[in-house]
Amino acid sequence: MADGPNPNPTPTPRQKAVPDWLNSPIWSAPTPRHRSPPRAPSPPPPPPPKPHRDPAPPPPPPPARPDGATSDSDSDSEAAATSSRSHLVAEFRVALERKVVDLAELRRLACQGVPDDAGVRPIVWKLLLGYLPADHALWVYELEKKRSQYSAFKDELLVNPSEVTRRMEMTTSKKKEHDSEGTGFLPRAEIVQDEHPLSLGKTSVWNQHFKESETVEQIDRDVKRTHPEMQFFNAGSSDALANQESLKRILTIFAKLNPGIRYVQGMNEVLAPLYYVFKNDPDQSNAAEAESDAFFCFVEVLSGFRDNFCKQLDNSVVGIRSTISRLSQLLKRHDEELWRHLEVVTKVNPQFYAFRWITLLLTQEFKFRDCIHLWDVLLGDPQGPPDTLLRICCAMLILVRRRLLAGDFTANLKLLQNYPPTNIDHLIHIANKLRGLVPC
């Protein structure tokens, strides 16, 4: 007699390497629509014939609902969602109206998602990035100071070299007029030494202008390619062109103020969400100052990821390769089976997909609106944007683990370089399960 099945089979080592919570089917992304559907089961055998009877008349159809009507269950769910959203908006209002904003409370709310149409996201982001102080009474003063400072940056750094030379000539001419008074000689205008278009002097504004022209041209090309699907950036209208000019000025000023980093291709994608949110502020006085506000908030965002953009630090313990290595360690800690399949079996180097995820802060992996919601969490999470970004990236891998485990090098690389549409709330839920375990 053959042995019957063991009622308590011993789990295989492979099963042990996977945490229990990963075995749930909810961690797998839905199968793409272009795949063929699963084969239907074989139909059951036909029932035996029944005695012939006159067919009964069909039941009367249910009364038609008026156009736009919904079922009671749909109405209930919509009402619950509306009530929940209204409650969240009210919580944000209360938090922002305090004399001193409780940033811990604001972060908690932001991680739940900032309502789109409540007009609170611009203020919330400015507070989370430290652009606005927690003390409500200081807002007007700080905004005036920062906006005035940005105006000074524009006057100093975006002026044409010809204008700089003209100003220097006027200053020199006035000095000579003062020195020649009473001597009988007429003052003579002349080009300031080393300040002419052919000068090779290191301090020459013309020489500096030509050196920076390549960076300015790169910024111009990238800005024109920023979200071409959005009318806000690329409609060909006067408003869209004005928005492009604002992005160019911000990136150019940043490059000139940060010679160690200058401009790195893709920074336009990181800037776009900030400028979009601030420019769409219902408060028109703030919307008019979106350029200056976006500049300083852009600086704050990059301050946490500055080393990822510095080429000289690529191979250091703080550079982009080290950051990608931390993502690999995080995946190995939570899902060693998936890590081994990706990096050992199929040899998919994390740099092939994670470089763009990290340097562009996921702005190219999701729809723009979904990216905005991800940034609510990215900016609001108490662990800070760098660690939160790694948790989200790890969650992205776990979310498609079944497809990755079934794929080879080509299929997995294609999947990760063209990440499939997903439920952002679901992704954030997975990322939260990884909280507190980001390797240092």
Side-chain angles (χ1 to χ4, degrees):
M1 181 176 175
D3 293 336
N6 185 356
N8 298 308
T10 303
T12 63
R14 181 175 178 177
Q15 291 174 322
K16 288 182 178 179
V18 183
D20 292 338
W21 63 274
L22 286 177
N23 291 322
S24 171
I26 67 172
W27 305 127
S28 297
T31 304
R33 294 182 179 178
H34 65 270
R35 289 191 176 184
S36 58
R39 185 176 301 173
S42 302
K50 296 182 179 179
H52 176 73
R53 294 181 182 176
D54 293 334
R65 291 181 299 189
D67 293 340
T70 58
S71 66
D72 292 341
S73 60
D74 290 341
S75 300
D76 291 343
S77 60
E78 290 179 5
T82 302
S83 175
S84 176
R85 178 192 164 281
S86 299
H87 180 69
L88 185 60
V89 170
E91 285 192 278
F92 271 106
R93 299 285 188 198
V94 171
L96 295 175
E97 288 173 359
R98 290 195 176 102
K99 291 183 178 180
V100 178
V101 177
D102 185 342
L103 293 179
E105 174 68 7
L106 190 64
R107 292 184 185 280
R108 183 189 68 81
L109 293 173
C111 286
Q112 298 180 39
V114 182
D116 289 321
D117 54 352
V120 298
R121 182 175 279 117
I123 299 177
V124 170
W125 281 19
K126 290 172 186 177
L127 283 163
L128 294 177
L129 286 168
Y131 178 59
L132 283 178
D135 190 340
H136 207 296
L138 298 177
W139 286 9
V140 173
Y141 169 76
E142 287 294 331
L143 287 175
E144 289 180 353
K145 182 178 71 172
K146 293 291 181 61
R147 291 166 179 174
S148 175
Q149 185 178 0
Y150 182 74
S151 180
F153 285 154
K154 289 196 295 184
D155 291 341
E156 178 184 353
L157 300 174
L158 299 181
V159 66
N160 190 288
S162 298
E163 177 63 18
V164 175
T165 303
R166 188 187 69 81
R167 292 177 184 177
M168 296 177 71
E169 288 175 0
M170 290 181 61
T171 302
T172 303
S173 177
K174 288 181 180 180
K175 182 177 183 301
K176 287 189 174 183
E177 286 181 9
H178 180 270
D179 293 343
S180 63
E181 287 181 0
T183 63
F185 294 100
L186 294 175
R188 181 180 179 182
E190 61 184 43
I191 297 178
V192 181
Q193 185 178 7
D194 287 339
E195 294 303 342
H196 54 84
L198 300 180
S199 173
L200 298 178
K202 293 183 178 180
T203 60
S204 168
V205 293
W206 281 99
N207 187 28
Q208 191 68 22
H209 170 73
F210 290 126
K211 285 183 177 180
E212 295 171 346
S213 61
E214 183 177 348
T215 299
V216 174
E217 291 171 2
Q218 181 65 60
I219 291 174
D220 182 71
R221 288 193 295 269
D222 288 352
V223 166
K224 289 178 179 178
R225 293 194 292 257
T226 303
H227 293 286
E229 77 285 358
M230 295 180 62
Q231 292 186 353
F232 180 85
F233 294 108
N234 279 285
S237 63
S238 58
D239 288 342
L241 293 175
N243 292 334
Q244 288 187 356
E245 290 301 318
S246 291
L247 297 182
K248 291 177 189 177
R249 286 191 291 267
I250 292 172
L251 294 170
T252 301
I253 291 174
F254 177 85
K256 292 186 176 184
L257 290 176
N258 296 272
I261 298 178
R262 301 181 67 81
Y263 172 77
V264 177
Q265 191 170 12
M267 284 184 176
N268 57 303
E269 303 292 350
V270 178
L271 172 61
L274 294 166
Y275 181 77
Y276 176 86
V277 167
F278 298 156
K279 190 65 176 178
N280 286 283
D281 192 328
D283 186 331
Q284 292 303 308
S285 63
N286 285 328
E289 298 290 344
E291 183 178 328
S292 54
D293 294 348
F295 169 78
F296 286 104
C297 287
F298 176 68
V299 172
E300 290 297 331
V301 169
L302 287 194
S303 66
F305 301 95
R306 181 186 182 97
D307 296 336
N308 291 339
F309 292 94
C310 190
K311 189 174 182 180
Q312 292 82 355
L313 298 176
D314 279 355
N315 296 317
S316 70
V317 295
V318 294
I320 182 61
R321 292 184 181 177
S322 175
T323 303
I324 293 175
S325 177
R326 291 176 61 206
L327 172 60
S328 175
Q329 294 171 30
L330 184 62
L331 177 64
K332 184 178 181 181
R333 180 175 301 181
H334 283 282
D335 192 345
E336 186 173 353
E337 179 189 10
L338 179 57
W339 170 85
R340 187 173 301 280
H341 182 77
L342 278 177
E343 299 192 24
V344 179
V345 178
T346 61
K347 299 188 184 304
V348 177
N349 191 318
Q351 293 187 26
F352 297 160
Y353 59 88
F355 183 88
R356 187 179 71 184
W357 292 7
I358 293 171
T359 56
L360 301 188
L361 308 188
L362 301 175
T363 55
Q364 293 294 286
E365 314 313 317
F366 304 98
K367 293 180 180 179
F368 191 78
R369 176 56 58 190
D370 290 339
C371 174
I372 296 292
H373 287 295
L374 272 178
W375 275 39
D376 290 339
V377 177
L378 196 65
L379 303 180
D381 196 288
Q383 286 193 343
D387 285 351
T388 305
L389 177 63
L390 289 185
R391 286 193 289 107
I392 295 175
C393 290
C394 187
M396 290 168 64
L397 296 170
I398 292 174
L399 187 61
V400 293
R401 72 183 305 272
R402 288 190 176 183
R403 294 172 63 180
L404 290 173
L405 289 173
D408 57 11
F409 173 85
T410 303
N412 288 344
L413 188 61
K414 182 178 180 180
L415 175 65
L416 296 177
Q417 290 185 342
N418 299 275
Y419 197 80
T422 190
N423 184 306
I424 296 300
D425 291 333
H426 186 188
L427 175 62
I428 293 171
H429 178 71
I430 300 174
N432 286 335
K433 280 187 166 289
L434 312 180
R435 186 183 304 277
L437 294 173
V438 179
C440 300

